[in-house]
Amino acid sequence: MSSNVGLSTPRGSGTSGYVQRNLSHLRPRDARPAPYPTDRDRIPHRARQPDAAILAHDRARGVEVQVFELRDRLEDEGIPDDEIESQTATLRAKLVREMEGARKTAASGRGLKAHQVHERAAAKIEESERLRKALGIREDYEEGGHWKRGEERLREGVREREGKEGGR
């Protein structure tokens, strides 16, 4: 063997002594820049926006599930079809009215499942908005803006001093 690779002698090893290159070895990709920004502090936080169509669909689906359960129960009891239709239409109208009223009230993020991504996002945005109002934070507030304004004032003061000294 050459350059101290592999066995010094294949005798007694049960192999031929042939050394193969590792084709599954992944080489580091340091030559390329990162495909994402590395400084996460500079990226402004953006809340995930819920899809209104998905939210409306889920609410309508919840109504239809309750209507179907009523229909199934009434069919099992042997009630005539015209009576079933009238009761399901009444329940559907009642649930739609409740759904419209519930949409206007504040929704809590509690009790939402992990797969209810859009409902959780809407609840989080609403919670953030309530917190912002409770703390008296302006809508155009930018994190770290106070320090930026302080730096700007300091630069203006330096420019004014340079202008006065340059005028002498």
Side-chain angles (χ1 to χ4, degrees):
M1 285 279 122
S2 61
S3 68
N4 293 331
V5 176
L7 303 170
S8 58
T9 176
R11 287 183 78 188
S13 67
T15 67
S16 66
Y18 182 73
V19 178
Q20 292 184 2
R21 159 173 95 116
N22 184 359
L23 297 176
S24 65
H25 175 69
L26 299 175
R27 294 185 189 107
R29 301 184 327 180
D30 293 337
R32 297 183 202 164
Y36 48 86
T38 56
D39 189 9
R40 293 183 183 254
D41 293 336
R42 293 184 180 241
I43 301 171
H45 173 71
R46 203 179 74 223
R48 179 185 181 123
Q49 298 298 317
D51 189 352
I54 292 176
L55 291 173
H57 173 77
D58 285 345
R59 284 191 297 268
R61 184 176 182 276
V63 167
E64 291 303 318
V65 165
Q66 290 181 8
V67 168
F68 182 76
E69 288 172 353
L70 175 67
R71 174 183 292 277
D72 191 39
R73 191 178 75 239
L74 294 176
E75 285 176 353
D76 288 343
E77 293 173 2
I79 297 177
D81 287 342
D82 57 339
E83 181 66 25
I84 292 174
E85 289 299 324
S86 66
Q87 285 189 20
T88 55
T90 304
L91 178 65
R92 183 178 288 118
K94 177 183 156 226
L95 292 174
V96 168
R97 278 195 310 273
E98 288 176 2
M99 183 178 70
E100 293 298 323
R103 190 183 319 172
K104 295 173 186 170
T105 61
S108 172
R110 294 185 181 133
L112 294 175
K113 306 272 191 285
H115 67 275
Q116 296 175 311
V117 177
H118 294 275
E119 290 88 345
R120 290 173 59 197
K124 183 64 177 176
I125 289 173
E126 196 169 308
E127 176 189 3
S128 297
E129 188 64 22
R130 277 186 307 198
L131 183 64
R132 184 188 62 75
K133 286 179 181 177
L135 296 176
I137 300 172
R138 297 186 322 259
E139 285 189 46
D140 61 341
Y141 174 76
E142 182 182 339
E143 190 173 334
H146 173 75
W147 299 108
K148 291 178 185 175
R149 287 191 298 272
E151 289 175 5
E152 289 173 8
R153 282 190 225 123
L154 183 63
R155 287 187 195 123
E156 288 175 12
V158 168
R159 283 188 215 126
E160 288 177 10
R161 277 187 249 134
E162 288 175 352
K164 288 180 183 178
E165 290 175 2
R168 290 185 186 180

